[in-house]
Amino acid sequence: MPTPTIAQKSPYVQKMAAGTYWWCSCGQSKGQPFCDGSHKGTGFAPQKVVLTEEKTVAWCGCKHSANGCNCDGTHKQL
Ligand code: FES
């Protein structure tokens, strides 16, 4: 299993509109926290997230969360 690149050691806390989002799991996107296609060839794939209503999301920026796209505090141990 390849190791993801740490985009930043804190979450991206954003108020999101309802919709479909693709969270960057490889850490190499220039459009964090979302996929820009940079994962090609890395073995990573983005995570699809569907929000049915407006919501504030703490997107994982370190890419090491055990909870996928959601920050679980793991960044504090990196
Ligand atoms: S930013 Fe990755 S666990 Fe918090």
Side-chain angles (χ1 to χ4, degrees):
M1 182 76 185
T3 303
T5 299
I6 297 171
Q8 68 174 28
K9 288 186 179 178
S10 59
Y12 297 91
V13 180
Q14 299 179 347
K15 188 173 183 182
M16 306 301 299
T20 300
Y21 300 94
W22 293 90
W23 172 75
C24 164
S25 66
C26 72
Q28 296 189 35
S29 170
K30 301 284 184 275
Q32 293 295 331
F34 305 110
C35 176
D36 72 352
S38 296
H39 62 275
K40 288 189 180 74
T42 65
F44 289 94
Q47 180 184 337
K48 182 181 181 182
V49 180
V50 178
L51 300 179
T52 55
E53 59 187 21
E54 185 178 282
K55 183 180 177 186
T56 298
V57 179
W59 302 104
C60 171
C62 75
K63 314 301 179 183
H64 285 69
S65 172
N67 199 14
C69 67
N70 297 296
C71 173
D72 69 353
T74 299
H75 63 271
K76 294 178 190 146
Q77 288 143 37
L78 298 174

